[in-house]
Amino acid sequence: MSVDFREAMSSSISYWEPRRLVYNAVLALIVVAWFVAGWPGSKESLGTDLALGLFILAVLANVAYCAVYLPDLALQFSTFRDAWLRWRWALLTIGTLFAAALTYFFAQGMFAVHAVPVPA
C-alpha cells in the first residue's frame, strides 16, 4: 500500500503527540522523586538557577522526543510500514527508558541525597 506524506505525517502526529504526555510525566516523576528523597537538603537548591536548569532540561528532553519522527516517517514510507505501525510502541518504550536513565542521573546530581546521621 502506498502512503503519501500527509497521511504519514498525520499518522505520526496522532500516534506520538498523545504519548508525549506520558513521556513527560515519567521524567517529571523521576525529578520529583529525587527532590523528595533529597529533602530537606534539596530545599536548599530551590531558586532561579534550579528553575532555569529544569526548564532547559525539559526543553531538551522534548527536542529529543521530536527525533522519533525521523525513523517513524522513514519506516512508514518503507515496505515495512504495516509491521512498523504494530511495533512502534517499542521505540516509545526504549526512548522513554533512555530518557528516564538520563533524567535519573541529572536529578541525582541536582538533588543529592544526604545521609541522615544515626544517633549513637
Side-chain angles (χ1 to χ4, degrees), residues 98-110:
F98 180 70
L102 289 175
T103 302
Y104 176 89
F105 287 112
F106 274 100
Q108 183 181 28
M110 295 171 102

Side-chain angles (χ1 to χ4, degrees), residues 23-34 54 57-58 60-61 95-111:
Y23 170 83
N24 281 310
V26 167
L27 303 186
L29 283 173
I30 293 168
V31 171
V32 169
W34 269 107
L54 289 174
L57 291 172
L60 290 175
T96 302
L97 289 173
F98 180 70
L102 289 175
T103 302
Y104 176 89
F105 287 112
F106 274 100
Q108 183 181 28
M110 295 171 102
F111 310 115

Side-chain angles (χ1 to χ4, degrees), residues 30-46 107-116:
I30 293 168
V31 171
V32 169
W34 269 107
F35 182 80
V36 170
W39 193 265
S42 57
K43 182 173 70 170
E44 297 170 13
S45 63
L46 292 175
Q108 183 181 28
M110 295 171 102
F111 310 115
V113 177
H114 302 289
V116 177

Side-chain angles (χ1 to χ4, degrees), residues 13-32:
I13 291 169
S14 66
Y15 182 83
W16 293 108
E17 289 310 312
R19 287 154 182 85
R20 184 186 298 264
L21 297 173
V22 173
Y23 170 83
N24 281 310
V26 167
L27 303 186
L29 283 173
I30 293 168
V31 171
V32 169

Side-chain angles (χ1 to χ4, degrees), residues 31-87:
V31 171
V32 169
W34 269 107
F35 182 80
V36 170
W39 193 265
S42 57
K43 182 173 70 170
E44 297 170 13
S45 63
L46 292 175
T48 305
D49 288 345
L50 176 66
L52 290 173
L54 289 174
F55 175 74
I56 290 168
L57 291 172
V59 169
L60 290 175
N62 279 280
V63 169
Y65 187 86
C66 292
V68 77
Y69 284 99
L70 294 174
D72 187 62
L73 288 171
L75 285 162
Q76 284 198 55
F77 285 109
S78 76
T79 57
F80 303 106
R81 182 176 196 272
D82 292 334
W84 170 245
L85 294 178
R86 290 189 309 271
W87 283 93

